[in-house]
Amino acid sequence: MHDSTTLLVEVGALLLLLGVLGRLSRRVGLSPIPLYLLAGLAFGHGGLLPLAASEEFFAVGAEIGVILLLVMLGLEYSANELVGNLRSAAPAGLIDGVFNALPGAAFALLLGWDWVAALVLGGITWVSSSGVIAKVLADLGRLGNRETPVILSVLVIEDLAMALYLPLVTAVLAGTGLLGGGIALAVAVGTVLLVLVVAIRYGHLISSALSAKDPEALLLGVLGLTLLIAGLAAKLQVSAAVGAFLVGIALSGPVAHHATELLSPLRDLFAAVFFVFFGLVTDPRDIPPVLLPALGLAVVTMATKTLTGYLAARRVGIAEPGRWRAGLALVPRGEFSIVIAGLAVAAGSVEPRLAALAATYVLITVVTGPILARLPDFPWFKRWLRNRAAAQRREPIPVVDSPQ
């Protein structure tokens, strides 16, 4: 009884604090994500007042938060839009991997770490945080913007790539060899293709099985289906986020519309829990020794990620303000980076400083990412873009001498 009472007190107090921080952040016009993270740091391991009883609750709630963020993104788009965007964004996905994985791998080698640590750190710097970015896009009211499908396409390609990367890196860390890695990769590829085919070809049947006229049944049905598919995907070493996203893609029509309305409050609640939990499991005492290397790595890869989004948006004809919005929105790293670092730590055979470096790196990008995403909305940034465009228009046309 004492434990359950303590759990209620800790969860209630922290959620109340989050409500105050959320209201404060919106009054000053900022995303609440950095404040949620700082609250987690204050009450996590090594913080001012560690909360022990509620850690397990926030761990489960954090997983649900990521799943809800991704299914809500999926509800915004149809299966045909997904396939079209993936085809058009395939080159951007390749650029994304080269621009953002290679700096992490090279950084590990410069620190004197082995090739396994380089493989792990490359994955940590490669993949953006779908959960954080989904929250930022919703907070800034950009879900309907022209550049948002480009952002989502890059995120989905990354998540699908993680479905292949995670089994491989797990096999490398476990030392199971090429055979074990090949089997894990085959299972991951098969699962992704199966879920994608079901979502595209039979999504209308799934929607017809759920009634939009009964809110309670619809809420329970969509939530249950999403958690079930996400859990099965995770069991098969495939991203739970990919499973949740594809569930959202599969639903259409009135069912998708009403599900969005019903799930929005739950998404906001568990998304806040996700960001707090990230801070709770990060010990502030581990940050100072690796702060400068993590800061240098963050500066480099935030620039490469911004360039990735800028080029991806330019490729499909998005205007310059939208290109910057796409690039800066992709900056945060998060859940996948922590998962990759956790796998390496659990294996016990990788550089011991990797966990602290990864946590500090992710924390820097998650705190600065939502702030950077707002830059294109500031008047001075808009003036800079207008002046840049005007200067380009005033450039003299080169004169080509005619042949004599």
Coordinates of all heavy atoms in Angstrom, one line a residue, residues 231-328:
G231 N 3.8 -3.8 -30.5 CA 4.5 -4.8 -29.6 C 5.0 -6.0 -30.4 O 6.1 -6.5 -30.2
L232 N 4.1 -6.5 -31.4 CA 4.6 -7.6 -32.2 C 5.8 -7.2 -33.1 O 6.7 -8.0 -33.3 CB 3.4 -8.1 -33.1 CG 2.2 -8.8 -32.4 CD1 1.1 -9.0 -33.4 CD2 2.7 -10.1 -31.7
A233 N 5.8 -6.0 -33.6 CA 6.9 -5.6 -34.4 C 8.2 -5.5 -33.6 O 9.2 -6.0 -34.0 CB 6.6 -4.2 -35.0
A234 N 8.1 -5.0 -32.3 CA 9.2 -5.0 -31.4 C 9.7 -6.4 -31.1 O 10.9 -6.6 -31.0 CB 8.9 -4.2 -30.2
K235 N 8.8 -7.3 -30.9 CA 9.2 -8.7 -30.6 C 10.0 -9.3 -31.7 O 10.9 -10.2 -31.5 CB 7.9 -9.6 -30.4 CG 7.3 -9.4 -29.0 CD 8.1 -10.1 -27.9 CE 7.3 -10.1 -26.6 NZ 8.1 -10.7 -25.5
L236 N 9.7 -8.9 -33.0 CA 10.4 -9.4 -34.1 C 11.6 -8.6 -34.5 O 12.1 -8.7 -35.6 CB 9.4 -9.5 -35.3 CG 8.3 -10.5 -35.1 CD1 7.2 -10.4 -36.2 CD2 8.8 -12.0 -35.1
Q237 N 12.1 -7.8 -33.6 CA 13.2 -6.9 -33.8 C 13.0 -5.9 -34.8 O 14.0 -5.4 -35.5 CB 14.5 -7.8 -34.1 CG 14.9 -8.8 -33.1 CD 15.3 -8.1 -31.8 OE1 16.0 -7.2 -31.8 NE2 14.8 -8.6 -30.7
V238 N 11.8 -5.5 -35.0 CA 11.4 -4.4 -35.9 C 11.0 -3.2 -35.1 O 10.4 -3.4 -34.0 CB 10.3 -4.8 -36.9 CG1 10.0 -3.6 -37.9 CG2 10.8 -6.0 -37.7
S239 N 11.2 -2.0 -35.6 CA 10.8 -0.8 -34.8 C 9.3 -0.8 -34.5 O 8.4 -0.9 -35.4 CB 11.1 0.4 -35.7 OG 10.4 1.6 -35.1
A240 N 9.0 -0.6 -33.2 CA 7.6 -0.5 -32.8 C 7.0 0.8 -33.4 O 5.8 0.9 -33.7 CB 7.5 -0.4 -31.3
A241 N 7.9 1.8 -33.6 CA 7.4 3.1 -34.2 C 6.9 2.8 -35.6 O 5.9 3.4 -36.1 CB 8.5 4.1 -34.2
V242 N 7.6 2.0 -36.4 CA 7.2 1.7 -37.8 C 5.8 1.0 -37.7 O 4.9 1.3 -38.5 CB 8.2 0.8 -38.5 CG1 7.7 0.2 -39.8 CG2 9.5 1.5 -38.7
G243 N 5.7 0.0 -36.8 CA 4.4 -0.7 -36.7 C 3.2 0.3 -36.4 O 2.2 0.2 -37.0
A244 N 3.5 1.2 -35.5 CA 2.4 2.2 -35.1 C 2.1 3.1 -36.2 O 0.9 3.4 -36.5 CB 2.9 3.0 -33.9
F245 N 3.1 3.6 -37.0 CA 2.9 4.5 -38.1 C 2.1 3.8 -39.2 O 1.2 4.4 -39.7 CB 4.3 4.9 -38.6 CG 4.2 5.9 -39.8 CD1 4.0 7.2 -39.5 CD2 4.3 5.5 -41.1 CE1 3.9 8.2 -40.5 CE2 4.2 6.4 -42.1 CZ 4.0 7.7 -41.8
L246 N 2.4 2.5 -39.4 CA 1.7 1.8 -40.5 C 0.2 1.6 -40.1 O -0.7 1.5 -41.0 CB 2.4 0.5 -40.9 CG 3.7 0.7 -41.5 CD1 4.4 -0.6 -41.8 CD2 3.6 1.5 -42.8
V247 N -0.1 1.4 -38.8 CA -1.5 1.3 -38.3 C -2.2 2.6 -38.7 O -3.3 2.5 -39.2 CB -1.5 1.0 -36.8 CG1 -3.0 1.1 -36.3 CG2 -1.0 -0.4 -36.6
G248 N -1.6 3.7 -38.4 CA -2.2 5.0 -38.7 C -2.4 5.1 -40.2 O -3.5 5.6 -40.6
I249 N -1.5 4.7 -41.0 CA -1.6 4.7 -42.5 C -2.8 3.9 -42.9 O -3.6 4.2 -43.8 CB -0.3 4.3 -43.1 CG1 0.8 5.3 -43.0 CG2 -0.5 4.0 -44.6 CD1 0.6 6.6 -43.7
A250 N -3.0 2.7 -42.3 CA -4.0 1.7 -42.7 C -5.4 2.3 -42.5 O -6.4 1.9 -43.2 CB -3.8 0.4 -42.0
L251 N -5.6 3.1 -41.5 CA -6.9 3.6 -41.1 C -7.3 4.8 -42.1 O -6.4 5.6 -42.4 CB -7.0 4.1 -39.7 CG -6.7 2.9 -38.7 CD1 -6.8 3.5 -37.2 CD2 -7.7 1.8 -38.8
S252 N -8.5 4.9 -42.5 CA -8.9 6.0 -43.4 C -10.3 6.4 -43.1 O -11.0 5.8 -42.4 CB -8.7 5.5 -44.8 OG -9.5 4.4 -45.1
G253 N -10.7 7.5 -43.8 CA -12.1 7.9 -43.8 C -12.5 8.5 -42.4 O -11.7 9.0 -41.6
P254 N -13.8 8.3 -42.1 CA -14.3 8.8 -40.8 C -13.6 8.2 -39.6 O -13.5 8.9 -38.5 CB -15.8 8.5 -40.8 CG -16.1 8.3 -42.3 CD -14.9 7.8 -42.9
V255 N -13.2 7.0 -39.7 CA -12.5 6.3 -38.6 C -11.2 7.0 -38.3 O -10.9 7.3 -37.1 CB -12.2 4.8 -39.0 CG1 -11.3 4.2 -38.0 CG2 -13.5 4.0 -39.0
A256 N -10.4 7.4 -39.3 CA -9.2 8.1 -39.0 C -9.4 9.5 -38.4 O -8.7 9.9 -37.5 CB -8.4 8.2 -40.4
H257 N -10.5 10.2 -38.9 CA -10.8 11.5 -38.4 C -11.2 11.5 -37.0 O -10.6 12.2 -36.1 CB -11.9 12.1 -39.3 CG -12.4 13.4 -38.8 ND1 -11.7 14.6 -38.9 CD2 -13.6 13.8 -38.1 CE1 -12.3 15.6 -38.3 NE2 -13.5 15.1 -37.9
H258 N -12.1 10.6 -36.6 CA -12.5 10.5 -35.2 C -11.5 9.9 -34.3 O -11.4 10.3 -33.1 CB -13.8 9.6 -35.1 CG -15.0 10.3 -35.7 ND1 -15.6 11.4 -35.2 CD2 -15.7 10.0 -36.8 CE1 -16.7 11.8 -35.9 NE2 -16.8 10.9 -36.9
A259 N -10.7 9.0 -34.8 CA -9.6 8.5 -34.0 C -8.6 9.6 -33.7 O -8.0 9.6 -32.5 CB -8.9 7.3 -34.7
T260 N -8.3 10.5 -34.6 CA -7.4 11.6 -34.3 C -7.9 12.4 -33.2 O -7.1 12.8 -32.3 CB -7.2 12.4 -35.6 OG1 -6.7 11.6 -36.7 CG2 -6.3 13.6 -35.3
E261 N -9.2 12.7 -33.2 CA -9.8 13.6 -32.1 C -9.7 12.8 -30.8 O -9.4 13.5 -29.7 CB -11.2 13.9 -32.5 CG -11.4 14.8 -33.7 CD -12.8 15.1 -34.0 OE1 -13.7 14.4 -33.5 OE2 -13.1 16.0 -34.8
L262 N -10.0 11.5 -30.8 CA -10.0 10.8 -29.5 C -8.6 10.6 -28.9 O -8.4 10.6 -27.7 CB -10.7 9.4 -29.7 CG -12.2 9.5 -30.1 CD1 -12.7 8.1 -30.5 CD2 -13.0 10.0 -28.9
L263 N -7.6 10.4 -29.8 CA -6.3 10.0 -29.3 C -5.4 11.2 -29.0 O -4.4 11.1 -28.3 CB -5.6 9.2 -30.4 CG -6.0 7.7 -30.6 CD1 -5.3 7.1 -31.8 CD2 -5.8 6.9 -29.3
S264 N -5.8 12.4 -29.4 CA -5.0 13.6 -29.2 C -4.7 13.9 -27.7 O -3.5 14.1 -27.4 CB -5.7 14.8 -29.8 OG -5.7 14.7 -31.2
P265 N -5.7 13.8 -26.8 CA -5.3 14.0 -25.4 C -4.4 13.0 -24.9 O -3.5 13.3 -24.1 CB -6.7 14.0 -24.7 CG -7.7 14.3 -25.8 CD -7.1 13.7 -27.0
L266 N -4.6 11.7 -25.3 CA -3.7 10.7 -24.8 C -2.3 10.9 -25.3 O -1.3 10.6 -24.7 CB -4.2 9.3 -25.2 CG -5.4 8.7 -24.5 CD1 -5.8 7.4 -25.1 CD2 -5.1 8.6 -23.0
R267 N -2.2 11.3 -26.6 CA -0.9 11.6 -27.2 C -0.2 12.6 -26.4 O 1.0 12.5 -26.1 CB -1.0 12.0 -28.6 CG 0.3 12.4 -29.3 CD 0.0 13.3 -30.5 NE -0.7 14.6 -30.1 CZ -1.2 15.4 -31.0 NH1 -1.1 15.2 -32.3 NH2 -1.8 16.5 -30.6
D268 N -0.8 13.7 -26.1 CA -0.2 14.8 -25.4 C 0.3 14.4 -24.0 O 1.4 14.7 -23.5 CB -1.2 16.0 -25.2 CG -1.5 16.6 -26.6 OD1 -0.8 16.4 -27.5 OD2 -2.6 17.3 -26.6
L269 N -0.5 13.6 -23.3 CA -0.1 13.1 -22.0 C 1.1 12.2 -22.0 O 2.1 12.4 -21.3 CB -1.3 12.3 -21.4 CG -1.0 11.5 -20.1 CD1 -0.5 12.4 -19.0 CD2 -2.2 10.7 -19.7
F270 N 1.1 11.2 -22.9 CA 2.2 10.2 -22.9 C 3.4 10.7 -23.6 O 4.5 10.3 -23.4 CB 1.7 8.9 -23.5 CG 0.8 8.1 -22.6 CD1 -0.6 8.0 -22.8 CD2 1.4 7.4 -21.6 CE1 -1.4 7.3 -21.9 CE2 0.6 6.6 -20.7 CZ -0.8 6.6 -20.9
A271 N 3.2 11.7 -24.5 CA 4.4 12.3 -25.1 C 5.2 13.1 -24.1 O 6.4 13.0 -24.0 CB 4.0 13.3 -26.2
A272 N 4.5 13.8 -23.2 CA 5.2 14.5 -22.1 C 5.9 13.5 -21.2 O 7.0 13.7 -20.7 CB 4.1 15.3 -21.3
V273 N 5.2 12.3 -20.9 CA 5.9 11.3 -20.1 C 7.1 10.8 -20.8 O 8.2 10.5 -20.1 CB 4.9 10.1 -19.9 CG1 5.6 8.9 -19.3 CG2 3.7 10.6 -19.0
F274 N 7.1 10.6 -22.1 CA 8.3 10.2 -22.8 C 9.5 11.1 -22.6 O 10.6 10.7 -22.3 CB 8.0 10.1 -24.3 CG 9.2 10.0 -25.2 CD1 10.0 8.8 -25.2 CD2 9.5 11.0 -26.1 CE1 11.1 8.8 -26.0 CE2 10.6 11.0 -26.9 CZ 11.4 9.8 -26.9
F275 N 9.3 12.4 -22.8 CA 10.4 13.3 -22.6 C 10.9 13.4 -21.2 O 12.1 13.5 -21.0 CB 9.9 14.7 -23.1 CG 9.6 14.7 -24.6 CD1 8.3 15.0 -25.0 CD2 10.5 14.4 -25.5 CE1 7.9 15.0 -26.3 CE2 10.1 14.4 -26.9 CZ 8.9 14.7 -27.3
V276 N 10.0 13.3 -20.2 CA 10.4 13.3 -18.8 C 11.2 12.1 -18.5 O 12.3 12.1 -17.9 CB 9.2 13.3 -17.9 CG1 9.6 13.0 -16.5 CG2 8.5 14.7 -18.0
F277 N 10.8 10.9 -19.0 CA 11.5 9.7 -18.8 C 12.9 9.7 -19.3 O 13.9 9.2 -18.7 CB 10.8 8.5 -19.4 CG 11.5 7.2 -19.2 CD1 11.6 6.6 -17.9 CD2 12.1 6.5 -20.2 CE1 12.2 5.4 -17.7 CE2 12.8 5.3 -20.1 CZ 12.8 4.8 -18.8
F278 N 13.1 10.3 -20.5 CA 14.4 10.5 -21.0 C 15.4 11.2 -20.1 O 16.5 10.9 -19.9 CB 14.4 11.2 -22.4 CG 15.7 11.3 -23.1 CD1 16.2 10.2 -23.7 CD2 16.5 12.4 -23.0 CE1 17.5 10.2 -24.3 CE2 17.7 12.5 -23.6 CZ 18.2 11.4 -24.3
G279 N 14.8 12.3 -19.5 CA 15.6 13.0 -18.5 C 15.8 12.2 -17.2 O 16.9 12.3 -16.6
L280 N 14.8 11.4 -16.8 CA 14.9 10.6 -15.5 C 16.0 9.6 -15.6 O 16.7 9.4 -14.6 CB 13.6 9.9 -15.3 CG 12.4 10.8 -14.8 CD1 11.1 9.9 -14.7 CD2 12.7 11.4 -13.5
V281 N 16.3 9.0 -16.7 CA 17.3 8.0 -16.8 C 18.7 8.5 -17.2 O 19.6 7.7 -17.4 CB 16.9 6.9 -17.9 CG1 15.6 6.2 -17.4 CG2 16.7 7.5 -19.3
T282 N 18.8 9.8 -17.3 CA 20.1 10.4 -17.6 C 20.6 11.0 -16.3 O 20.0 11.9 -15.7 CB 20.0 11.5 -18.7 OG1 19.4 11.0 -19.8 CG2 21.3 12.2 -19.0
D283 N 21.8 10.5 -15.9 CA 22.4 11.0 -14.6 C 23.2 12.3 -15.0 O 24.2 12.3 -15.8 CB 23.4 10.0 -14.1 CG 23.8 10.3 -12.7 OD1 23.8 11.5 -12.3 OD2 24.2 9.4 -11.9
P284 N 22.8 13.5 -14.4 CA 23.5 14.7 -14.7 C 25.0 14.6 -14.4 O 25.8 15.4 -15.0 CB 22.8 15.7 -13.8 CG 21.5 15.1 -13.4 CD 21.7 13.7 -13.4
R285 N 25.4 13.7 -13.5 CA 26.9 13.7 -13.1 C 27.7 13.0 -14.2 O 28.9 13.2 -14.2 CB 27.0 12.8 -11.8 CG 26.4 13.5 -10.6 CD 26.4 12.6 -9.4 NE 25.5 11.4 -9.7 CZ 25.2 10.5 -8.8 NH1 25.7 10.6 -7.5 NH2 24.4 9.5 -9.1
D286 N 27.1 12.3 -15.2 CA 27.8 11.7 -16.3 C 28.1 12.7 -17.4 O 28.8 12.4 -18.3 CB 27.0 10.5 -16.8 CG 26.9 9.4 -15.9 OD1 27.8 9.3 -15.0 OD2 26.0 8.6 -16.0
I287 N 27.4 13.9 -17.4 CA 27.5 14.8 -18.5 C 28.8 15.6 -18.6 O 29.4 15.7 -19.7 CB 26.3 15.8 -18.5 CG1 25.0 15.0 -18.7 CG2 26.4 16.9 -19.5 CD1 23.7 15.8 -18.6
P288 N 29.3 16.2 -17.5 CA 30.5 17.0 -17.6 C 31.7 16.4 -18.3 O 32.3 17.0 -19.1 CB 30.8 17.4 -16.1 CG 29.5 17.4 -15.5 CD 28.7 16.2 -16.1
P289 N 32.1 15.1 -18.0 CA 33.3 14.6 -18.6 C 33.2 14.4 -20.1 O 34.2 14.4 -20.8 CB 33.4 13.2 -17.9 CG 32.7 13.3 -16.7 CD 31.5 14.2 -17.0
V290 N 32.0 14.3 -20.7 CA 31.9 14.1 -22.1 C 31.2 15.3 -22.8 O 30.8 15.2 -24.0 CB 31.1 12.8 -22.4 CG1 31.9 11.6 -21.9 CG2 29.7 12.8 -21.8
L291 N 31.0 16.4 -22.1 CA 30.2 17.5 -22.6 C 30.9 18.1 -23.9 O 30.2 18.3 -24.9 CB 30.1 18.6 -21.5 CG 29.3 19.8 -21.9 CD1 27.9 19.4 -22.4 CD2 29.2 20.8 -20.8
L292 N 32.2 18.3 -23.8 CA 32.8 19.0 -25.0 C 32.8 18.1 -26.2 O 32.5 18.5 -27.3 CB 34.2 19.4 -24.6 CG 34.3 20.6 -23.7 CD1 35.8 21.0 -23.4 CD2 33.6 21.8 -24.3
P293 N 33.2 16.8 -26.1 CA 33.1 15.9 -27.3 C 31.7 15.8 -27.8 O 31.5 15.8 -29.0 CB 33.6 14.6 -26.8 CG 34.5 14.9 -25.6 CD 33.8 16.1 -25.0
A294 N 30.7 15.7 -26.9 CA 29.3 15.6 -27.3 C 28.8 16.8 -28.0 O 28.1 16.8 -29.0 CB 28.4 15.2 -26.1
L295 N 29.3 18.0 -27.5 CA 28.9 19.3 -28.1 C 29.5 19.4 -29.5 O 28.8 19.9 -30.4 CB 29.4 20.4 -27.2 CG 29.0 21.8 -27.6 CD1 27.4 22.0 -27.7 CD2 29.6 22.8 -26.6
G296 N 30.7 19.0 -29.7 CA 31.3 19.1 -31.0 C 30.7 18.2 -32.0 O 30.4 18.6 -33.1
L297 N 30.4 17.0 -31.5 CA 29.6 16.0 -32.4 C 28.3 16.6 -32.8 O 27.8 16.4 -33.9 CB 29.6 14.7 -31.7 CG 28.9 13.5 -32.5 CD1 29.6 13.3 -33.8 CD2 28.8 12.3 -31.7
A298 N 27.6 17.2 -31.8 CA 26.2 17.7 -32.0 C 26.2 18.8 -33.0 O 25.4 18.9 -33.9 CB 25.6 18.1 -30.7
V299 N 27.2 19.7 -32.9 CA 27.3 20.9 -33.8 C 27.5 20.4 -35.3 O 26.8 20.8 -36.2 CB 28.4 21.8 -33.4 CG1 28.7 22.8 -34.5 CG2 28.1 22.5 -32.1
V300 N 28.4 19.4 -35.5 CA 28.6 18.9 -36.8 C 27.4 18.2 -37.4 O 26.9 18.5 -38.5 CB 29.8 17.9 -36.8 CG1 29.9 17.2 -38.1 CG2 31.1 18.6 -36.4
T301 N 26.8 17.3 -36.6 CA 25.7 16.5 -37.1 C 24.3 17.3 -37.1 O 23.4 16.9 -37.9 CB 25.5 15.2 -36.3 OG1 25.4 15.5 -34.9 CG2 26.7 14.3 -36.5
M302 N 24.2 18.3 -36.3 CA 23.0 19.2 -36.5 C 23.1 19.9 -37.8 O 22.1 20.1 -38.5 CB 22.9 20.2 -35.3 CG 22.4 19.5 -34.0 SD 21.9 20.7 -32.7 CE 23.5 21.4 -32.3
A303 N 24.3 20.3 -38.2 CA 24.5 21.0 -39.5 C 24.3 20.0 -40.7 O 23.6 20.4 -41.6 CB 25.9 21.6 -39.6
T304 N 24.8 18.8 -40.6 CA 24.6 17.8 -41.6 C 23.1 17.4 -41.8 O 22.6 17.2 -42.9 CB 25.4 16.6 -41.5 OG1 25.2 16.0 -40.2 CG2 26.9 16.9 -41.5
K305 N 22.4 17.3 -40.6 CA 21.0 17.0 -40.7 C 20.2 18.1 -41.3 O 19.2 17.9 -42.0 CB 20.5 16.6 -39.3 CG 19.1 16.1 -39.2 CD 18.9 14.8 -39.9 CE 19.4 13.6 -39.1 NZ 19.0 12.3 -39.7
T306 N 20.5 19.3 -40.9 CA 19.8 20.5 -41.5 C 20.0 20.5 -43.0 O 19.1 20.8 -43.8 CB 20.4 21.8 -40.9 OG1 20.1 21.8 -39.5 CG2 19.6 23.0 -41.5
L307 N 21.2 20.2 -43.5 CA 21.5 20.2 -44.9 C 20.7 19.1 -45.6 O 20.2 19.2 -46.7 CB 23.0 20.0 -45.1 CG 23.5 19.9 -46.6 CD1 23.2 21.2 -47.3 CD2 25.0 19.6 -46.6
T308 N 20.6 17.9 -44.9 CA 19.8 16.8 -45.4 C 18.4 17.2 -45.7 O 17.8 17.0 -46.8 CB 19.8 15.6 -44.4 OG1 21.1 15.2 -44.2 CG2 18.9 14.5 -44.9
G309 N 17.7 17.8 -44.7 CA 16.3 18.3 -44.9 C 16.2 19.4 -45.9 O 15.2 19.4 -46.7
Y310 N 17.2 20.3 -46.0 CA 17.1 21.4 -46.9 C 17.2 20.8 -48.4 O 16.4 21.2 -49.2 CB 18.3 22.3 -46.7 CG 18.4 23.5 -47.6 CD1 17.8 24.7 -47.1 CD2 18.9 23.5 -48.8 CE1 17.9 25.9 -47.9 CE2 19.0 24.6 -49.6 CZ 18.4 25.8 -49.2 OH 18.5 26.9 -50.0
L311 N 18.1 19.9 -48.6 CA 18.3 19.3 -49.9 C 17.1 18.5 -50.3 O 16.6 18.5 -51.5 CB 19.5 18.5 -50.0 CG 20.9 19.2 -49.9 CD1 22.0 18.2 -49.9 CD2 21.0 20.2 -51.0
A312 N 16.5 17.7 -49.4 CA 15.3 16.9 -49.6 C 14.1 17.8 -50.0 O 13.4 17.4 -51.0 CB 15.0 16.0 -48.4
A313 N 13.9 18.9 -49.3 CA 12.8 19.8 -49.7 C 13.1 20.5 -51.0 O 12.1 20.7 -51.8 CB 12.6 20.8 -48.5
R314 N 14.3 20.9 -51.3 CA 14.6 21.6 -52.5 C 14.4 20.6 -53.7 O 13.9 21.1 -54.8 CB 16.0 22.1 -52.5 CG 16.4 22.9 -53.8 CD 17.8 23.4 -53.7 NE 18.8 22.4 -54.0 CZ 20.1 22.6 -54.1 NH1 20.6 23.8 -54.0 NH2 20.9 21.6 -54.3
R315 N 14.7 19.4 -53.5 CA 14.5 18.4 -54.6 C 13.1 18.3 -55.1 O 12.8 18.0 -56.2 CB 15.0 17.0 -54.1 CG 15.1 16.0 -55.2 CD 15.7 14.7 -54.6 NE 15.7 13.7 -55.7 CZ 14.7 12.9 -55.9 NH1 13.6 13.0 -55.1 NH2 14.7 12.0 -56.8
V316 N 12.1 18.5 -54.2 CA 10.7 18.4 -54.6 C 10.0 19.7 -54.8 O 8.8 19.8 -54.9 CB 9.9 17.6 -53.5 CG1 10.4 16.1 -53.4 CG2 9.9 18.2 -52.2
G317 N 10.8 20.8 -54.9 CA 10.3 22.1 -55.3 C 9.8 22.9 -54.2 O 9.0 23.9 -54.4
I318 N 10.1 22.6 -52.9 CA 9.7 23.5 -51.8 C 10.4 24.8 -51.8 O 11.6 24.8 -52.1 CB 9.9 22.7 -50.5 CG1 9.2 21.4 -50.5 CG2 9.4 23.6 -49.3 CD1 7.7 21.4 -50.6
A319 N 9.8 25.9 -51.5 CA 10.4 27.2 -51.4 C 11.4 27.3 -50.3 O 11.4 26.4 -49.4 CB 9.3 28.3 -51.3
E320 N 12.3 28.3 -50.3 CA 13.4 28.3 -49.4 C 13.0 28.3 -47.9 O 13.6 27.6 -47.1 CB 14.3 29.5 -49.7 CG 15.5 29.6 -48.8 CD 16.8 30.0 -49.5 OE1 16.7 30.2 -50.8 OE2 17.8 30.0 -48.9
P321 N 12.0 29.1 -47.5 CA 11.6 29.0 -46.1 C 11.2 27.6 -45.7 O 11.5 27.1 -44.6 CB 10.4 30.0 -46.0 CG 10.6 30.9 -47.1 CD 11.2 30.1 -48.2
G322 N 10.5 26.9 -46.5 CA 10.1 25.5 -46.2 C 11.3 24.6 -46.2 O 11.3 23.6 -45.4
R323 N 12.3 24.8 -47.0 CA 13.6 24.0 -46.9 C 14.2 24.2 -45.6 O 14.7 23.2 -45.0 CB 14.5 24.5 -48.1 CG 14.0 24.3 -49.5 CD 15.0 24.9 -50.5 NE 14.4 25.1 -51.8 CZ 14.9 25.8 -52.8 NH1 16.1 26.3 -52.6 NH2 14.3 25.9 -53.9
W324 N 14.3 25.4 -45.1 CA 14.9 25.6 -43.8 C 14.1 24.9 -42.7 O 14.6 24.4 -41.7 CB 15.1 27.1 -43.5 CG 16.3 27.6 -44.2 CD1 16.2 28.4 -45.4 CD2 17.7 27.5 -43.9 NE1 17.5 28.7 -45.8 CE2 18.4 28.2 -44.9 CE3 18.3 26.9 -42.9 CZ2 19.8 28.3 -44.9 CZ3 19.7 26.9 -42.9 CH2 20.4 27.6 -43.8
R325 N 12.8 25.1 -42.8 CA 11.9 24.4 -41.8 C 12.1 22.9 -41.8 O 12.1 22.3 -40.7 CB 10.4 24.8 -42.1 CG 10.0 26.2 -41.7 CD 8.5 26.4 -41.7 NE 7.9 26.2 -43.0 CZ 7.7 27.2 -43.8 NH1 8.0 28.4 -43.5 NH2 7.1 26.9 -45.0
A326 N 12.2 22.3 -43.0 CA 12.4 20.9 -43.1 C 13.8 20.5 -42.4 O 13.9 19.5 -41.7 CB 12.4 20.4 -44.5
G327 N 14.8 21.2 -42.8 CA 16.2 20.9 -42.3 C 16.3 21.0 -40.8 O 16.8 20.1 -40.1
L328 N 15.8 22.1 -40.2 CA 15.9 22.4 -38.8 C 15.0 21.5 -38.0 O 15.3 21.2 -36.8 CB 15.6 23.9 -38.5 CG 16.7 24.8 -39.1 CD1 16.2 26.3 -39.0 CD2 18.0 24.7 -38.4

